[in-house]
């Protein structure tokens, strides 16, 4: 996988188990890069991710997260995909059981309605989706620390959405070095490429590569 920012003539070969950190010192330049990447704008000031065969990686296969506090394990795309997986599992492995439960529910409603002093009708359960919706399935996230929430999010993005890459903005401002290393460990295990955009330099770790884009837009790498 390669990362390209055309406006800086920057091309970086992304490596497994290595986190590339891009320090953009000019706030306006940093804002342009982030907004253009999020909006997939027709601009040279955005991050492009490219497969080794030269094909662009579609935006559905990576995500740019501007703040760790907006992360939700129950985002529409994650939860929606998980519910589809549950539906597929029921269809493939438990369809007879589903039909049996459906019949029991219909019989229960028939008996309950007979006890009423008025006429009322109901619609049968037509689809497995109807049952899943009733159950209000969610991922537990209320009691998680920030680190736990981010690592769980990476795990779900990998297993459910098959994401290849996650880009974080200023994440080092919210996690200490030990927490950052635990986060990296989970990402490496899940085969998710991490990219960091930071507004200031950080202390380099062994698994990190630093690319500084200074105020004059010169690039310093180490």
């Amino acid at each position: 996988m390669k990362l390209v920012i055309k406006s800086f003539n920057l091309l970086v070969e992304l490596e497994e188990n290595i986190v590339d950190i891009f320090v953009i010192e000019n706030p306006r330049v940093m804002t342009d890069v982030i907004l253009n990447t999020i909006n997939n704008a027709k601009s040279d000031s955005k991050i492009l991710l490219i497969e080794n065969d030269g094909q662009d990686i579609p935006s559905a296969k990576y995500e740019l997260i501007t703040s760790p506090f907006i992360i939700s394990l129950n985002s529409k795309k994650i939860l929606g995909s998980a519910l589809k997986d549950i539906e597929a599992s029921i269809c493939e492995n438990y369809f007879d059981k589903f039909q049996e439960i459906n019949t029991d529910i219909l019989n229960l409603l028939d008996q309950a309605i007979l006890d009423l002093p008025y006429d009322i009708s109901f619609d049968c359960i037509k689809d497995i989706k109807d049952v899943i919706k009733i159950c209000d399935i969610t991922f537990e996230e209320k009691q998680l620390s920030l680190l736990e929430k981010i690592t769980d999010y990476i795990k779900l993005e990998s297993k459910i959405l098959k994401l290849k890459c996650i880009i974080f903005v200023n994440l080092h401002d919210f996690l200490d070095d030990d927490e950052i290393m635990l986060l990296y460990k989970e990402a490496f295990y899940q085969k998710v490429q991490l990219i960091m955009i930071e507004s200031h330099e950080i202390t380099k770790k062994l698994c990190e590569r630093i690319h500084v884009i200074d105020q004059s837009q010169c690039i310093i790498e180490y």
Side-chain angles (χ1 to χ4, degrees):
M1 189 188 303
K2 300 174 184 178
L3 178 146
V4 174
I5 305 178
K6 292 180 181 179
S7 61
F8 306 137
N9 293 318
L10 182 65
L11 188 153
V12 177
E13 294 271 358
L14 302 177
E15 298 180 16
E16 188 173 334
N17 296 345
I18 295 291
V19 177
D20 284 277
I21 299 175
F22 297 86
V23 180
I24 306 177
E25 294 183 343
N26 188 311
R28 287 187 178 181
V29 173
M30 181 173 175
T31 299
D32 284 345
V33 170
I34 292 170
L35 286 178
N36 289 331
T37 302
I38 290 173
N39 297 325
N40 197 23
K42 292 182 179 179
S43 169
D44 289 341
S45 296
K46 71 175 179 180
I47 293 172
L48 291 174
L49 296 175
I50 301 172
E51 295 278 19
N52 292 329
D53 62 4
Q55 296 293 317
D56 288 355
I57 296 176
S59 57
K61 292 300 179 184
Y62 67 89
E63 183 176 6
L64 191 154
I65 298 173
T66 56
S67 168
F69 300 107
I70 65 173
I71 286 174
S72 173
L73 305 185
N74 293 300
S75 68
K76 192 173 181 179
K77 59 182 179 179
I78 290 178
L79 195 56
S81 295
L83 296 182
K84 287 180 181 178
D85 290 342
I86 293 172
E87 181 183 357
S89 177
I90 293 173
C91 285
E92 293 172 12
N93 305 310
Y94 309 105
F95 191 71
D96 289 344
K97 186 67 175 177
F98 165 74
Q99 289 183 312
E100 179 183 331
I101 293 171
N102 194 14
T103 300
D104 288 343
I105 291 173
L106 294 177
N107 289 337
L108 175 63
L109 286 172
D110 277 335
Q111 293 173 21
I113 287 172
L114 288 175
D115 296 335
L116 299 177
Y118 47 81
D119 293 331
I120 192 170
S121 62
F122 64 91
D123 199 2
C124 64
I125 300 172
K126 298 176 181 178
D127 202 310
I128 295 172
K129 292 190 187 73
D130 296 333
V131 175
I132 295 175
K133 287 178 182 177
I134 293 171
C135 296
D136 192 23
I137 297 170
T138 58
F139 292 102
E140 178 56 50
E141 59 181 351
K142 289 183 180 179
Q143 305 302 319
L144 298 178
S145 68
L146 182 60
L147 172 63
E148 290 169 333
K149 194 171 184 179
I150 298 172
T151 52
D152 282 359
Y153 189 77
I154 290 172
K155 190 183 302 182
L156 293 175
E157 293 258 279
S158 172
K159 292 183 178 299
I160 295 177
L161 300 180
K162 314 301 181 188
L163 248 64
K164 296 185 176 183
C165 178
I166 300 178
I167 306 168
F168 287 99
V169 176
N170 282 338
L171 189 60
H172 286 77
D173 288 347
F174 307 107
L175 300 177
D176 63 28
D177 286 349
D178 290 338
E179 290 174 319
I180 286 288
M181 291 307 299
L182 289 171
L183 179 70
Y184 288 174
K185 183 179 179 181
E186 182 62 39
F188 295 161
Y189 180 77
Q190 298 297 335
K191 305 296 184 185
V192 173
Q193 189 76 45
L194 290 184
I195 296 169
M196 303 287 176
I197 299 175
E198 301 287 341
S199 57
H200 52 82
E201 287 193 61
I202 62 167
T203 302
K204 182 177 179 292
K205 303 170 189 63
L206 288 176
C207 59
E208 294 174 335
R209 292 189 302 194
I210 311 292
H211 314 264
V212 179
I213 301 165
D214 67 14
Q215 291 285 352
S216 58
Q217 297 189 30
C218 293
I219 298 174
I220 305 163
E221 298 178 302
Y222 57 92

